[in-house]
């Protein structure tokens, strides 16, 4: 490394042969310009520099890359740079699970090329020198790899008889800021946090010296678990380039109860510091028991719980919103997964980031769990998700069905039977589940929680592109935009006097409203609108219509799956074209507003200054009520004075004259 005080001495002494004689067998005459590409899981994670005209290249480079799965293979491919194309010179691979923890070892990897007649393609040597300043390209098992990959985590894997299901406390981590971090150009910086198998990721911030996250994350504390808080600071430039700036390991076992601890931890050299707060708060309410011993069936426990969430005790503990009890009775007619035509079903229950699991009932399609499970409620808007799996031993469990129940729709004490649905809850599958729910909560605490940030969901998998999801989201946006468009057209028709009665009514309402308008009337109008809908919507009609729209929507998707290949291609093209045009319109409006203020076109900026000056003077001397009234009267009477006038919007018409950034470079 250039910053090493003795690197030049080591280099001149040639104490470590690095890639010596690697290409002599391939190119006995002449020279080459070699470089190496490192691949992991099919993705390029690093590309070395090119060493020009050298048969014994020394790269003298170091890089790190966070690994989350040791069951992967690192692939190295050597190329010779050419003006027209890169010539392949050999490749090698190394399984990561052969590395040992806390041990730095040199690696000698022989190169291979199945298309070459040569048997000896040379070797790649990766090593470090005396564990001090790194002189050559080397591979280490870093602390980030050690701590984050000490065991493989299978997403969605549940083990029957799982220990430490019931949590006794909550770790609250407030990610505050970074200090003295490198301000090194464009890119994003974020933090991964983990306690056991609970993992979250902060929002992305632009790279700067002092990024401000100001985010809060909750992790469940299990009594017998030795838990550490892992924080990994990552910098990402582009889609594939990711760099780890440091990994912090915080021991949570000695954390005092109900006391906020401030941490200011130093990251890797020259990477700055990370500031965060950690608080451990005791939490009760999670339990698993037999259905005969359900907590709320005990009169004393029921009275204590009701007293705890009484309206008069609303300010006692604002985080403890409520209490949920589930009596999971049975499931019927489940799909079979074994050769014998049976299954070994168990059920997992998730509320927010909290999860409990029942025992496994062997060899049956109609299991009876008869189990009572309880959750503390942190947000009354959470949804209880019940998922039925088939226990397949050491393998990942097979999915059998899922049910989602919002807490606000629960009717206490009623036994309900719900049909199981597929993994994305879009259609029903075989089987049903029977349960009984009871929800007790404090309305004041629930209302206050509604105006606080929603809890961040634990990360389970990386989001992937989904054609159906994209089409559904575009359909939703189009439906909202069409509703807004129809509303604007209705208002426009009032100005055009297409219906005389409607236009006269609108004109009188406009004049009276503007003349008598006060600011308090805005929330009053919204209140009356909500009240109007409350008294004019039939109970249950809203949920029914919503379910009907959802069923029709997913039915359209099922029908689209039956289309031919060309129809699907045209549908994708239409979706992408819609997104392309929408993004172009939004970007153009933003750039035109920006270019108005930065004098990209002096005439237009001067004209905007003149209009803003006149508007300022008018608002200073004339009340806003009169200006709006004159504008509205002019709009309503325009049809009479000029029946064939062309409609216009002064602001949009002005902005269309301002060039966007693309038009500044390429006028059109």
């Amino acid at each position: 490394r250039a910053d090493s005080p003795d690197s030049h001495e080591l280099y001149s002494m040639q104490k470590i042969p690095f890639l010596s004689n690697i290409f002599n067998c391939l190119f006995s005459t002449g020279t080459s310009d070699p470089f190496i590409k490192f691949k992991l899981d099919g993705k390029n994670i690093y590309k070395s520099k090119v060493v020009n005209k050298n048969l014994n290249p020394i790269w003298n480079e170091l890089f790190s890359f966070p690994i989350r799965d040791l069951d992967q293979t690192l692939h190295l491919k050597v190329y010779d740079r050419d003006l027209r194309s890169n010539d392949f010179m050999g490749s090698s691979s190394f399984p990561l699970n052969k590395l040992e923890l806390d041990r730095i070892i040199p690696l000698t990897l022989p190169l291979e090329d199945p298309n070459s007649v040569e048997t000896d393609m040379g070797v790649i040597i990766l090593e470090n020198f005396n564990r001090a300043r790194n002189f050559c390209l080397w591979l280490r098992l870093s602390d980030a790899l050690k701590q984050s990959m000490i065991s493989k985590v299978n997403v969605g894997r549940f083990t029957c008889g799982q220990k430490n299901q019931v949590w006794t406390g909550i770790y609250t981590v407030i990610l505050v800021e970074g200090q003295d971090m490198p301000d090194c150009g464009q890119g994003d910086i974020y933090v991964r946090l983990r306690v056991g198998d609970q993992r979250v990721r902060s929002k992305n911030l632009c790279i700067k010296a002092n990024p401000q996250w100001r985010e809060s994350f909750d992790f469940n504390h299990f009594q017998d678990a030795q838990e550490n808080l892992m924080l990994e600071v990552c910098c990402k430039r582009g889609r594939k380039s990711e760099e780890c700036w440091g990994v912090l390991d915080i021991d949570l076992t000695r954390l005092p109860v109900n006391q906020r601890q401030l941490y200011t931890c130093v990251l890797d050299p020259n990477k700055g510091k990370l500031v965060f707060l950690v608080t451990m708060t005791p939490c009760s309410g999670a339990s698993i028991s037999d259905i005969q011993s359900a907590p709320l069936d005990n009169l004393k426990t029921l009275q204590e719980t009701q007293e705890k969430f009484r309206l008069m005790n609303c300010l006692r503990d604002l985080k403890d919103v409520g209490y949920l009890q589930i009596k999971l009775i049975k499931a019927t007619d489940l799909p079979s997964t074994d050769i014998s035509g049976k299954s070994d079903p168990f059920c997992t229950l998730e509320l927010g980031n909290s999860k409990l699991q029942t025992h496994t009932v062997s060899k049956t399609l109609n299991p009876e769990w008869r189990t009572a499970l309880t959750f503390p409620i942190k947000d009354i808007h959470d949804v209880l998700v019940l998922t039925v799996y088939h226990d397949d031993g050491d393998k990942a469990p097979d999915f059998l069905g899922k049910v989602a129940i919002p807490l606000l729709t629960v009717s206490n004490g009623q036994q309900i039977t719900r049909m199981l649905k597929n993994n994305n809850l879009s259609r029903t599958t075989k089987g049903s589940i029977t349960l009984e729910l009871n929800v007790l909560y404090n309305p004041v605490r629930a209302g206050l929680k509604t105006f606080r940030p929603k809890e961040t969901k634990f990360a389970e998998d990386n989001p992937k592109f989904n054609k159906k999801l994209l089409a559904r989201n575009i359909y939703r946006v189009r439906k909202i935009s069409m509703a807004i468009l129809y509303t604007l057209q209705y208002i426009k028709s009032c100005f055009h006097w297409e219906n005389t009665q409607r236009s006269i009514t609108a004109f009188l309402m406009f004049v009276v409203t503007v003349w008598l308008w006060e600011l308090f009337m805005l929330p009053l109008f919204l209140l009356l609108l909500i009240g109007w809908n409350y008294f004019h919507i039939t109970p249950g009609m809203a949920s029914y219509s919503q379910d009907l729209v959802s069923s029709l929507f997913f039915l359209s998707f099922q029908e689209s799956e039956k289309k031919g290949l060309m129809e699907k291609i045209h549908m994708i093209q239409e979706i992408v074209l819609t997104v392309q045009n929408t993004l172009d319109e939004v970007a153009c409006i933003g750039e035109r507003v920006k270019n108005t203020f930065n004098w990209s076109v002096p005439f237009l900026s001067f004209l905007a200054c003149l209009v803003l000056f006149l508007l300022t003077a008018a608002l200073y001397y004339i009340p806003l009520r009169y200006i709006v009234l004159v504008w509205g009267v002019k709009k309503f009477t325009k049809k009479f004075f000029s029946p064939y006038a062309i409609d216009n919007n002064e602001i949009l018409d002005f902005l269309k004259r301002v060039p966007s950034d693309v038009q500044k470079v390429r006028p059109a």
Side-chain angles (χ1 to χ4, degrees), residues 586-607:
V586 173
C588 283
I589 292 176
E591 291 171 355
R592 284 167 174 162
V593 173
K594 178 196 70 174
N595 292 334
T596 301
F597 287 91
N598 63 12
W599 294 83
S600 296
V601 181
F603 175 80
L604 293 174
S605 298
F606 177 78
L607 188 60

PDB file of all heavy atoms in Angstrom, residues 586-607:
ATOM      1  N   VAL A 586     -42.820  14.048 -14.767  1.00  0.00           N
ATOM      2  CA  VAL A 586     -42.477  14.533 -13.428  1.00  0.00           C
ATOM      3  C   VAL A 586     -41.103  15.190 -13.423  1.00  0.00           C
ATOM      4  O   VAL A 586     -40.906  16.266 -12.840  1.00  0.00           O
ATOM      5  CB  VAL A 586     -42.540  13.368 -12.417  1.00  0.00           C
ATOM      6  CG1 VAL A 586     -42.028  13.812 -11.047  1.00  0.00           C
ATOM      7  CG2 VAL A 586     -43.952  12.834 -12.302  1.00  0.00           C
ATOM      8  N   ALA A 587     -40.124  14.554 -14.089  1.00  0.00           N
ATOM      9  CA  ALA A 587     -38.771  15.110 -14.130  1.00  0.00           C
ATOM     10  C   ALA A 587     -38.748  16.444 -14.871  1.00  0.00           C
ATOM     11  O   ALA A 587     -38.060  17.386 -14.456  1.00  0.00           O
ATOM     12  CB  ALA A 587     -37.821  14.112 -14.788  1.00  0.00           C
ATOM     13  N   CYS A 588     -39.503  16.546 -15.942  1.00  0.00           N
ATOM     14  CA  CYS A 588     -39.522  17.796 -16.718  1.00  0.00           C
ATOM     15  C   CYS A 588     -40.093  18.950 -15.893  1.00  0.00           C
ATOM     16  O   CYS A 588     -39.556  20.069 -15.925  1.00  0.00           O
ATOM     17  CB  CYS A 588     -40.339  17.604 -18.000  1.00  0.00           C
ATOM     18  SG  CYS A 588     -39.470  16.682 -19.295  1.00  0.00           S
ATOM     19  N   ILE A 589     -41.169  18.687 -15.157  1.00  0.00           N
ATOM     20  CA  ILE A 589     -41.756  19.755 -14.344  1.00  0.00           C
ATOM     21  C   ILE A 589     -40.762  20.227 -13.285  1.00  0.00           C
ATOM     22  O   ILE A 589     -40.559  21.436 -13.081  1.00  0.00           O
ATOM     23  CB  ILE A 589     -43.063  19.269 -13.696  1.00  0.00           C
ATOM     24  CG1 ILE A 589     -44.137  19.057 -14.769  1.00  0.00           C
ATOM     25  CG2 ILE A 589     -43.559  20.271 -12.652  1.00  0.00           C
ATOM     26  CD1 ILE A 589     -45.431  18.475 -14.238  1.00  0.00           C
ATOM     27  N   GLY A 590     -40.122  19.277 -12.602  1.00  0.00           N
ATOM     28  CA  GLY A 590     -39.144  19.653 -11.588  1.00  0.00           C
ATOM     29  C   GLY A 590     -37.966  20.422 -12.167  1.00  0.00           C
ATOM     30  O   GLY A 590     -37.515  21.428 -11.587  1.00  0.00           O
ATOM     31  N   GLU A 591     -37.447  19.967 -13.302  1.00  0.00           N
ATOM     32  CA  GLU A 591     -36.304  20.651 -13.917  1.00  0.00           C
ATOM     33  C   GLU A 591     -36.685  22.026 -14.449  1.00  0.00           C
ATOM     34  O   GLU A 591     -35.887  22.969 -14.389  1.00  0.00           O
ATOM     35  CB  GLU A 591     -35.748  19.781 -15.046  1.00  0.00           C
ATOM     36  CG  GLU A 591     -35.072  18.509 -14.554  1.00  0.00           C
ATOM     37  CD  GLU A 591     -34.722  17.546 -15.674  1.00  0.00           C
ATOM     38  OE1 GLU A 591     -35.102  17.831 -16.838  1.00  0.00           O
ATOM     39  OE2 GLU A 591     -34.095  16.528 -15.399  1.00  0.00           O
ATOM     40  N   ARG A 592     -37.911  22.174 -14.946  1.00  0.00           N
ATOM     41  CA  ARG A 592     -38.329  23.474 -15.462  1.00  0.00           C
ATOM     42  C   ARG A 592     -38.505  24.492 -14.332  1.00  0.00           C
ATOM     43  O   ARG A 592     -38.175  25.670 -14.495  1.00  0.00           O
ATOM     44  CB  ARG A 592     -39.623  23.318 -16.251  1.00  0.00           C
ATOM     45  CG  ARG A 592     -39.403  22.715 -17.628  1.00  0.00           C
ATOM     46  CD  ARG A 592     -40.675  22.270 -18.290  1.00  0.00           C
ATOM     47  NE  ARG A 592     -40.417  21.832 -19.656  1.00  0.00           N
ATOM     48  CZ  ARG A 592     -41.235  21.081 -20.372  1.00  0.00           C
ATOM     49  NH1 ARG A 592     -42.372  20.677 -19.849  1.00  0.00           N
ATOM     50  NH2 ARG A 592     -40.922  20.731 -21.610  1.00  0.00           N
ATOM     51  N   VAL A 593     -39.033  24.048 -13.202  1.00  0.00           N
ATOM     52  CA  VAL A 593     -39.116  24.941 -12.042  1.00  0.00           C
ATOM     53  C   VAL A 593     -37.721  25.363 -11.599  1.00  0.00           C
ATOM     54  O   VAL A 593     -37.465  26.545 -11.308  1.00  0.00           O
ATOM     55  CB  VAL A 593     -39.881  24.249 -10.894  1.00  0.00           C
ATOM     56  CG1 VAL A 593     -39.823  25.087  -9.627  1.00  0.00           C
ATOM     57  CG2 VAL A 593     -41.327  23.992 -11.290  1.00  0.00           C
ATOM     58  N   LYS A 594     -36.795  24.388 -11.555  1.00  0.00           N
ATOM     59  CA  LYS A 594     -35.418  24.714 -11.166  1.00  0.00           C
ATOM     60  C   LYS A 594     -34.783  25.687 -12.148  1.00  0.00           C
ATOM     61  O   LYS A 594     -34.140  26.677 -11.741  1.00  0.00           O
ATOM     62  CB  LYS A 594     -34.592  23.426 -11.108  1.00  0.00           C
ATOM     63  CG  LYS A 594     -33.117  23.641 -10.767  1.00  0.00           C
ATOM     64  CD  LYS A 594     -32.291  22.431 -11.106  1.00  0.00           C
ATOM     65  CE  LYS A 594     -32.200  22.272 -12.625  1.00  0.00           C
ATOM     66  NZ  LYS A 594     -31.287  21.187 -13.029  1.00  0.00           N
ATOM     67  N   ASN A 595     -34.970  25.449 -13.430  1.00  0.00           N
ATOM     68  CA  ASN A 595     -34.349  26.310 -14.441  1.00  0.00           C
ATOM     69  C   ASN A 595     -34.976  27.707 -14.488  1.00  0.00           C
ATOM     70  O   ASN A 595     -34.358  28.643 -14.988  1.00  0.00           O
ATOM     71  CB  ASN A 595     -34.443  25.652 -15.821  1.00  0.00           C
ATOM     72  CG  ASN A 595     -33.596  24.410 -15.922  1.00  0.00           C
ATOM     73  OD1 ASN A 595     -32.598  24.280 -15.209  1.00  0.00           O
ATOM     74  ND2 ASN A 595     -33.963  23.479 -16.785  1.00  0.00           N
ATOM     75  N   THR A 596     -36.204  27.817 -13.970  1.00  0.00           N
ATOM     76  CA  THR A 596     -36.805  29.156 -13.877  1.00  0.00           C
ATOM     77  C   THR A 596     -36.064  30.014 -12.856  1.00  0.00           C
ATOM     78  O   THR A 596     -35.836  31.207 -13.062  1.00  0.00           O
ATOM     79  CB  THR A 596     -38.288  29.046 -13.492  1.00  0.00           C
ATOM     80  OG1 THR A 596     -38.969  28.259 -14.476  1.00  0.00           O
ATOM     81  CG2 THR A 596     -38.940  30.420 -13.413  1.00  0.00           C
ATOM     82  N   PHE A 597     -35.636  29.391 -11.776  1.00  0.00           N
ATOM     83  CA  PHE A 597     -34.992  30.135 -10.697  1.00  0.00           C
ATOM     84  C   PHE A 597     -33.487  30.301 -10.903  1.00  0.00           C
ATOM     85  O   PHE A 597     -32.887  31.148 -10.246  1.00  0.00           O
ATOM     86  CB  PHE A 597     -35.261  29.440  -9.358  1.00  0.00           C
ATOM     87  CG  PHE A 597     -36.669  29.599  -8.868  1.00  0.00           C
ATOM     88  CD1 PHE A 597     -37.643  28.678  -9.194  1.00  0.00           C
ATOM     89  CD2 PHE A 597     -37.029  30.683  -8.089  1.00  0.00           C
ATOM     90  CE1 PHE A 597     -38.948  28.820  -8.748  1.00  0.00           C
ATOM     91  CE2 PHE A 597     -38.329  30.842  -7.647  1.00  0.00           C
ATOM     92  CZ  PHE A 597     -39.292  29.903  -7.975  1.00  0.00           C
ATOM     93  N   ASN A 598     -32.861  29.467 -11.738  1.00  0.00           N
ATOM     94  CA  ASN A 598     -31.409  29.611 -11.918  1.00  0.00           C
ATOM     95  C   ASN A 598     -31.026  30.353 -13.202  1.00  0.00           C
ATOM     96  O   ASN A 598     -29.897  30.271 -13.665  1.00  0.00           O
ATOM     97  CB  ASN A 598     -30.719  28.240 -11.888  1.00  0.00           C
ATOM     98  CG  ASN A 598     -31.155  27.331 -13.027  1.00  0.00           C
ATOM     99  OD1 ASN A 598     -31.805  27.765 -13.980  1.00  0.00           O
ATOM    100  ND2 ASN A 598     -30.805  26.056 -12.933  1.00  0.00           N
ATOM    101  N   TRP A 599     -32.008  31.074 -13.820  1.00  0.00           N
ATOM    102  CA  TRP A 599     -31.743  31.956 -14.966  1.00  0.00           C
ATOM    103  C   TRP A 599     -31.147  31.193 -16.151  1.00  0.00           C
ATOM    104  O   TRP A 599     -30.253  31.683 -16.836  1.00  0.00           O
ATOM    105  CB  TRP A 599     -30.816  33.105 -14.568  1.00  0.00           C
ATOM    106  CG  TRP A 599     -31.449  34.050 -13.589  1.00  0.00           C
ATOM    107  CD1 TRP A 599     -31.520  33.883 -12.239  1.00  0.00           C
ATOM    108  CD2 TRP A 599     -32.129  35.278 -13.887  1.00  0.00           C
ATOM    109  NE1 TRP A 599     -32.202  34.923 -11.655  1.00  0.00           N
ATOM    110  CE2 TRP A 599     -32.585  35.811 -12.644  1.00  0.00           C
ATOM    111  CE3 TRP A 599     -32.392  35.979 -15.062  1.00  0.00           C
ATOM    112  CZ2 TRP A 599     -33.281  37.004 -12.563  1.00  0.00           C
ATOM    113  CZ3 TRP A 599     -33.090  37.168 -14.966  1.00  0.00           C
ATOM    114  CH2 TRP A 599     -33.531  37.679 -13.734  1.00  0.00           C
ATOM    115  N   SER A 600     -31.668  29.988 -16.390  1.00  0.00           N
ATOM    116  CA  SER A 600     -31.226  29.261 -17.590  1.00  0.00           C
ATOM    117  C   SER A 600     -31.663  29.996 -18.852  1.00  0.00           C
ATOM    118  O   SER A 600     -30.942  30.027 -19.846  1.00  0.00           O
ATOM    119  CB  SER A 600     -31.803  27.841 -17.588  1.00  0.00           C
ATOM    120  OG  SER A 600     -31.294  27.105 -16.510  1.00  0.00           O
ATOM    121  N   VAL A 601     -32.868  30.577 -18.820  1.00  0.00           N
ATOM    122  CA  VAL A 601     -33.352  31.434 -19.903  1.00  0.00           C
ATOM    123  C   VAL A 601     -33.638  32.803 -19.275  1.00  0.00           C
ATOM    124  O   VAL A 601     -34.663  32.972 -18.594  1.00  0.00           O
ATOM    125  CB  VAL A 601     -34.623  30.858 -20.561  1.00  0.00           C
ATOM    126  CG1 VAL A 601     -35.084  31.769 -21.703  1.00  0.00           C
ATOM    127  CG2 VAL A 601     -34.370  29.448 -21.080  1.00  0.00           C
ATOM    128  N   PRO A 602     -32.763  33.796 -19.437  1.00  0.00           N
ATOM    129  CA  PRO A 602     -32.920  35.075 -18.730  1.00  0.00           C
ATOM    130  C   PRO A 602     -34.262  35.742 -18.968  1.00  0.00           C
ATOM    131  O   PRO A 602     -34.831  36.337 -18.047  1.00  0.00           O
ATOM    132  CB  PRO A 602     -31.756  35.916 -19.275  1.00  0.00           C
ATOM    133  CG  PRO A 602     -30.736  34.916 -19.706  1.00  0.00           C
ATOM    134  CD  PRO A 602     -31.507  33.736 -20.206  1.00  0.00           C
ATOM    135  N   PHE A 603     -34.785  35.653 -20.191  1.00  0.00           N
ATOM    136  CA  PHE A 603     -36.062  36.312 -20.477  1.00  0.00           C
ATOM    137  C   PHE A 603     -37.172  35.741 -19.607  1.00  0.00           C
ATOM    138  O   PHE A 603     -37.975  36.480 -19.016  1.00  0.00           O
ATOM    139  CB  PHE A 603     -36.406  36.157 -21.963  1.00  0.00           C
ATOM    140  CG  PHE A 603     -37.764  36.695 -22.318  1.00  0.00           C
ATOM    141  CD1 PHE A 603     -37.967  38.059 -22.502  1.00  0.00           C
ATOM    142  CD2 PHE A 603     -38.847  35.837 -22.462  1.00  0.00           C
ATOM    143  CE1 PHE A 603     -39.229  38.551 -22.809  1.00  0.00           C
ATOM    144  CE2 PHE A 603     -40.099  36.317 -22.775  1.00  0.00           C
ATOM    145  CZ  PHE A 603     -40.293  37.688 -22.956  1.00  0.00           C
ATOM    146  N   LEU A 604     -37.254  34.397 -19.522  1.00  0.00           N
ATOM    147  CA  LEU A 604     -38.306  33.767 -18.734  1.00  0.00           C
ATOM    148  C   LEU A 604     -38.128  34.036 -17.246  1.00  0.00           C
ATOM    149  O   LEU A 604     -39.105  34.252 -16.522  1.00  0.00           O
ATOM    150  CB  LEU A 604     -38.318  32.264 -19.002  1.00  0.00           C
ATOM    151  CG  LEU A 604     -38.729  31.843 -20.422  1.00  0.00           C
ATOM    152  CD1 LEU A 604     -38.550  30.343 -20.608  1.00  0.00           C
ATOM    153  CD2 LEU A 604     -40.178  32.238 -20.700  1.00  0.00           C
ATOM    154  N   SER A 605     -36.888  34.028 -16.764  1.00  0.00           N
ATOM    155  CA  SER A 605     -36.646  34.321 -15.358  1.00  0.00           C
ATOM    156  C   SER A 605     -37.005  35.768 -15.037  1.00  0.00           C
ATOM    157  O   SER A 605     -37.582  36.056 -13.975  1.00  0.00           O
ATOM    158  CB  SER A 605     -35.183  34.047 -15.010  1.00  0.00           C
ATOM    159  OG  SER A 605     -34.870  32.685 -15.200  1.00  0.00           O
ATOM    160  N   PHE A 606     -36.689  36.695 -15.947  1.00  0.00           N
ATOM    161  CA  PHE A 606     -37.054  38.105 -15.744  1.00  0.00           C
ATOM    162  C   PHE A 606     -38.571  38.258 -15.746  1.00  0.00           C
ATOM    163  O   PHE A 606     -39.137  38.998 -14.938  1.00  0.00           O
ATOM    164  CB  PHE A 606     -36.429  38.971 -16.832  1.00  0.00           C
ATOM    165  CG  PHE A 606     -36.805  40.423 -16.734  1.00  0.00           C
ATOM    166  CD1 PHE A 606     -36.199  41.255 -15.800  1.00  0.00           C
ATOM    167  CD2 PHE A 606     -37.791  40.950 -17.566  1.00  0.00           C
ATOM    168  CE1 PHE A 606     -36.563  42.584 -15.703  1.00  0.00           C
ATOM    169  CE2 PHE A 606     -38.159  42.273 -17.468  1.00  0.00           C
ATOM    170  CZ  PHE A 606     -37.541  43.102 -16.529  1.00  0.00           C
ATOM    171  N   LEU A 607     -39.249  37.534 -16.645  1.00  0.00           N
ATOM    172  CA  LEU A 607     -40.707  37.585 -16.695  1.00  0.00           C
ATOM    173  C   LEU A 607     -41.314  37.029 -15.413  1.00  0.00           C
ATOM    174  O   LEU A 607     -42.297  37.573 -14.887  1.00  0.00           O
ATOM    175  CB  LEU A 607     -41.197  36.792 -17.908  1.00  0.00           C
ATOM    176  CG  LEU A 607     -42.696  36.879 -18.235  1.00  0.00           C
ATOM    177  CD1 LEU A 607     -43.101  38.317 -18.511  1.00  0.00           C
ATOM    178  CD2 LEU A 607     -43.021  35.984 -19.428  1.00  0.00           C
TER     179      LEU A 607
END
